[in-house]
Amino acid sequence: MDSYQYQDLPTDEQGGIYIRLVQFYPTEKETGIPPPCSITDVPLSKCPKYEAVSYFWGSPLDQGQIICDGKTITVPVNLYGFLSRMRLKAANRKFWIDSVCINQSNEKEKSSQVAEMRNIYAKASRTLVWLGAEADQSTLALQFAARCSEALSDLNPSSAKRRSLWYRTRTYSEFSIFSNSWFAFFKLLDRAWFPRAWIVQEVALSTNTKILCGPTIISWSELYRALYYIINYQIWIFEFYGSPQIEVLMALQSSQFEISQGRKRIYWQVLSRHRKALASNARDNVFAFYGLSSHESFKEHSIAPNYSESVRSVYMNVAISTLRMATNLDFLSIARLEKKSGDDLNLPSWVPDWSHSDNYCQSFLLFEAVEGDMSIKFPYSATKDSKCSPIIHEALGQLEVSGYVVDRLARVSSHWELQDTTGYQSLRKQAMVLQRNQAYIHEWEATIDLRSDPNSKYPTGETLEEASWQTFVAGQAADNKDAIRPLYYKFRQRQRYLLWIHKRGLDNHIWIWMLVVILGHILRFVGIPNPEMGFRTLTSQMINRRIAKTEKGYIGLIPRLAEEDDYVVLLKGGKFPIVLRLKGEGVWEFIGDSYMHGMTRGEFWDEGKCSTFRLI
């Protein structure tokens, strides 16, 4: 059978685009394969009711074929499975499915259709998310999500229902660390659909999203409410379970909220928020977010989907267009995650490689937060109100900025790495997570001499301990110390008990950590939560960073890529001290921004000392 031949899409009278819609024609008998279909071209401005489908594309080697207008179209195998399942329910329904409705071999068409993706999903009557066939207790996982959503409602007196003792007992059992529900839920989040970059637009722009996995279906709002409940009311679970998709989905929800409220964001801040999302085409680490709250900002910087551009050109354009219009260096607060850029892109050190998502760390300026969140106030002004005018030497790949060296890194810890908490969390695995986290605490405290002399005088006049805990929260306690200090004291109190294990040389004995875990579960059962959690929720910016002590005795959170003898530099227009590595006369490698306690509020700034730095 011949392959389907796409015709060029026309434009309507006003210059608007056309899209293709696909309609399926189920047969009366179940055949186990997708039903035949037909494709029609319709103007987006006047299209009939249709549903959009969101799914995981997968490997280009895993494909199936559907019959369209008597000819074949090759589709991802995951979509093939969805269409096979939906065959008898698809009659008289029209769908927009990207792999079918966009000519994937036409780069110009792909670019124009991607630019309108925000309108395509916004106009859909609903979006169907297909996670795949039932497996790994996925039905239990979705039922558990629905139960978490109910539990959130029960916290609201106006919507709470009276629950029987049996119901409450069953609920407690489900939320136990040893419950299969946790394993099933986090296993569901490990499915390949969740980390996709494209799901952000597909869900955030849709007004009605349903999640399908095997025979089970729940609404997107139920899944989000479940995540919200777990993060806010079952936060203890993240010491033993986890998924990188949690941050991906919460970032998605932030973008969806901004769209619903009509808020606008700077485009590179949205890219930073969704840094952990994955794309098979590295250009889509930029283009996939074109239609969000940053849409106008993309257009202002003349950045639009163009699949004929090289990946390097796309990433260079993002950096250059931003810095040429910049009056501050906030852009340099985007974390540099790897020393080498992916696929030999040969990017300068000051240009973010958006294809890297491993070793992600949260920005000090919280680009991940919702625009207009009045609860977030930044106490950072390392160069006061100075302005900058960066000069870009495009042919050399160099960024020229102005500043001066203030210090040098003398001691550097290992970076704080998130533990592997995938799979069923046995008592031994829980103990191993606790053991490793305690090892990080011991090393970090040793790096800055906190344990040996906590009451020593810090350069700012505070005690070393006071400066240390403010560093752990990246200075966000600067104007709220009295509220956060008690949380730190609770953390410190538990650490003093656990220090007994270290002092007696029992760190390497897993059984002692298993006893600590058991004791923690007993205390939680009787209503005594882990006293550390209040403070630890404020320390997310420690993840994938190091702690350091400088030659002048300052301590700070520094990039994972930083090393001893790197320089701490104040650059004009920057809110934070920057870590640079000298590569030659006047030539420097950009490592990343840092929080240095006692340097982030203009204490060292003297514009008269500035000279030229060239970043390569």
Side-chain angles (χ1 to χ4, degrees):
M1 190 176 294
D2 294 337
S3 297
Y4 184 88
Q5 299 298 312
Y6 288 91
Q7 303 300 315
D8 290 342
L9 286 167
T11 56
D12 63 22
E13 297 83 355
Q14 288 76 39
I17 72 162
Y18 270 63
I19 63 172
R20 299 183 183 95
L21 295 179
V22 57
Q23 183 170 357
F24 293 90
Y25 302 99
T27 56
E28 293 184 1
K29 294 183 179 181
E30 181 67 56
T31 62
I33 61 174
C37 63
S38 64
I39 289 177
T40 55
D41 302 344
V42 295
L44 181 58
S45 60
K46 300 177 182 178
C47 60
K49 180 180 178 180
Y50 65 92
E51 299 166 81
V53 180
S54 176
Y55 58 96
F56 171 60
W57 274 55
S59 168
L61 300 177
D62 296 328
Q63 296 181 328
Q65 286 190 334
I66 61 174
I67 306 303
C68 184
D69 294 326
K71 298 181 179 180
T72 62
I73 294 179
T74 300
V75 299
V77 69
N78 198 38
L79 175 63
Y80 186 90
F82 168 78
L83 297 176
S84 298
R85 179 185 175 276
M86 289 292 291
R87 61 184 317 284
L88 296 179
K89 301 178 181 179
N92 302 317
R93 291 160 63 185
K94 292 181 171 62
F95 296 89
W96 186 86
I97 304 171
D98 54 3
S99 62
V100 177
C101 298
I102 298 177
N103 182 357
Q104 299 298 321
S105 63
N106 186 328
E107 300 294 345
K108 182 178 179 180
E109 180 180 307
K110 279 173 61 178
S111 299
S112 65
Q113 292 279 297
V114 166
E116 291 293 335
M117 204 79 83
R118 65 195 311 264
N119 293 321
I120 292 173
Y121 277 94
K123 286 178 176 290
S125 61
R126 66 175 180 174
T127 296
L128 303 177
V129 173
W130 173 244
L131 298 183
E134 183 177 19
D136 299 316
Q137 304 180 82
S138 56
T139 296
L140 174 63
L142 293 179
Q143 291 171 344
F144 180 67
R147 184 64 56 82
C148 290
S149 180
E150 288 179 1
L152 183 63
S153 296
D154 286 344
L155 294 172
N156 184 348
S158 63
S159 60
K161 298 179 181 179
R162 293 191 63 181
R163 305 295 190 184
S164 66
L165 177 61
W166 176 85
Y167 180 92
R168 294 196 300 271
T169 302
R170 187 183 68 172
T171 298
Y172 182 85
S173 175
E174 284 187 319
F175 291 143
S176 163
I177 183 63
F178 300 107
S179 168
N180 278 336
S181 297
W182 288 116
F183 168 76
F185 182 76
F186 283 103
K187 189 68 175 177
L188 182 79
L189 296 186
D190 286 338
R191 292 209 175 204
W193 179 84
F194 287 99
R196 288 179 58 241
W198 279 109
I199 75 167
V200 180
Q201 277 200 140
E202 293 167 359
V203 174
L205 294 165
S206 300
T207 56
N208 180 15
T209 303
K210 300 294 183 182
I211 298 175
L212 294 81
C213 188
T216 311
I217 181 169
I218 65 170
S219 68
W220 169 260
S221 62
E222 283 182 288
L223 178 62
Y224 169 68
R225 283 169 55 82
L227 290 171
Y228 183 88
Y229 174 75
I230 292 169
I231 290 170
N232 289 277
Y233 298 101
Q234 300 287 340
I235 193 169
W236 61 272
I237 196 64
F238 293 112
E239 189 165 3
F240 307 111
Y241 274 97
S243 170
Q245 274 60 270
I246 293 287
E247 292 178 69
V248 171
L249 294 176
M250 296 311 293
L252 188 162
Q253 190 64 26
S254 295
S255 288
Q256 186 176 48
F257 178 78
E258 287 174 350
I259 290 170
S260 69
Q261 299 297 306
R263 299 181 182 180
K264 308 299 181 185
R265 286 298 295 267
I266 299 172
Y267 78 99
W268 56 264
Q269 293 181 355
V270 171
L271 298 184
S272 181
R273 169 191 286 168
H274 297 290
R275 190 81 178 271
K276 295 190 76 171
L278 304 178
S280 56
N281 186 328
R283 299 169 186 81
D284 287 334
N285 289 290
V286 175
F287 297 156
F289 309 106
Y290 182 75
L292 301 178
S293 55
S294 53
H295 183 62
E296 291 183 8
S297 178
F298 268 107
K299 295 171 72 174
E300 288 170 4
H301 288 80
S302 301
I303 295 175
N306 183 354
Y307 287 91
S308 63
E309 274 190 286
S310 69
V311 176
R312 186 181 191 278
S313 176
V314 172
Y315 292 0
M316 289 293 293
N317 286 344
V318 168
I320 291 171
S321 64
T322 299
L323 289 167
R324 276 184 174 157
M325 299 174 66
T327 58
N328 60 53
L329 293 181
D330 288 359
F331 184 77
L332 295 186
S333 283
I334 299 172
R336 184 182 175 206
L337 304 184
E338 297 288 346
K339 289 184 179 179
K340 294 182 178 180
S341 56
D343 299 324
D344 299 321
L345 297 179
N346 194 29
L347 294 171
S349 62
W350 48 273
V351 176
D353 183 346
W354 300 103
S355 67
H356 280 141
S357 60
D358 292 338
N359 302 308
Y360 171 84
C361 58
Q362 192 178 61
S363 63
F364 290 125
L365 290 176
L366 297 180
F367 301 136
E368 302 82 4
V370 174
E371 176 69 20
D373 188 340
M374 301 305 293
S375 66
I376 300 175
K377 296 180 180 179
F378 300 114
Y380 311 122
S381 54
T383 63
K384 297 184 178 179
D385 57 354
S386 66
K387 304 293 183 184
C388 67
S389 300
I391 299 173
I392 298 169
H393 302 277
E394 195 167 346
L396 299 174
Q398 294 184 358
L399 174 67
E400 184 177 315
V401 289
S402 179
Y404 59 96
V405 172
V406 293
D407 211 337
R408 199 169 187 179
L409 302 182
R411 264 188 278 169
V412 173
S413 74
S414 61
H415 70 280
W416 192 297
E417 186 176 8
L418 277 177
Q419 301 303 295
D420 179 12
T421 53
T422 57
Y424 178 72
Q425 294 300 290
S426 65
L427 180 60
R428 182 179 180 83
K429 287 186 71 174
Q430 296 173 53
M432 291 173 65
V433 170
L434 179 60
Q435 181 186 41
R436 183 57 182 156
N437 285 338
Q438 287 303 122
Y440 281 132
I441 291 173
H442 297 323
E443 186 199 356
W444 279 41
E445 289 181 344
T447 300
I448 60 176
D449 300 317
L450 177 59
R451 184 160 296 156
S452 60
D453 198 4
N455 294 316
S456 62
K457 192 173 182 179
Y458 189 72
T460 59
E462 305 163 286
T463 66
L464 176 60
E465 183 174 35
E466 186 79 0
S468 298
W469 73 258
Q470 292 182 68
T471 301
F472 296 154
V473 298
Q476 293 189 56
D479 300 317
N480 200 22
K481 295 179 185 177
D482 292 339
I484 297 178
R485 189 180 290 109
L487 300 178
Y488 167 72
Y489 287 155
K490 290 181 179 180
F491 168 84
R492 183 183 66 178
Q493 186 65 31
R494 183 171 187 257
Q495 285 302 311
R496 284 177 174 171
Y497 291 128
L498 295 176
L499 185 59
W500 179 90
I501 298 173
H502 181 68
K503 287 181 175 179
R504 282 156 181 77
L506 299 174
D507 305 68
N508 295 326
H509 296 274
I510 194 64
W511 63 267
I512 192 73
W513 299 108
M514 293 171 73
L515 290 177
V516 174
V517 170
I518 292 171
L519 178 60
H521 290 315
I522 293 173
L523 292 175
R524 191 175 67 84
F525 180 80
V526 298
I528 303 175
N530 184 340
E532 286 190 3
M533 296 311 294
F535 183 72
R536 285 177 59 177
T537 57
L538 303 174
T539 62
S540 59
Q541 288 160 321
M542 289 167 49
I543 301 300
N544 281 320
R545 286 192 171 93
R546 305 174 188 267
I547 201 163
K549 192 168 186 177
T550 71
E551 291 179 347
K552 294 180 180 179
Y554 286 84
I555 61 175
L557 295 179
I558 61 173
R560 185 182 64 86
L561 302 180
E563 300 173 358
E564 291 180 0
D565 295 327
D566 285 343
Y567 290 85
V568 181
V569 179
L570 293 180
L571 295 179
K572 193 175 179 181
K575 292 184 173 66
F576 297 94
I578 301 295
V579 178
L580 300 180
R581 187 169 299 153
L582 185 61
K583 305 298 287 186
E585 185 65 32
V587 179
W588 303 76
E589 178 185 355
F590 173 76
I591 304 300
D593 66 349
S594 67
Y595 172 80
M596 287 289 170
H597 190 71
M599 294 187 187
T600 58
R601 308 198 84 174
E603 298 93 335
F604 277 69
W605 181 242
D606 182 353
E607 194 165 335
K609 295 182 179 180
C610 289
S611 61
T612 296
F613 286 72
R614 285 204 173 202
L615 309 185
I616 59 173

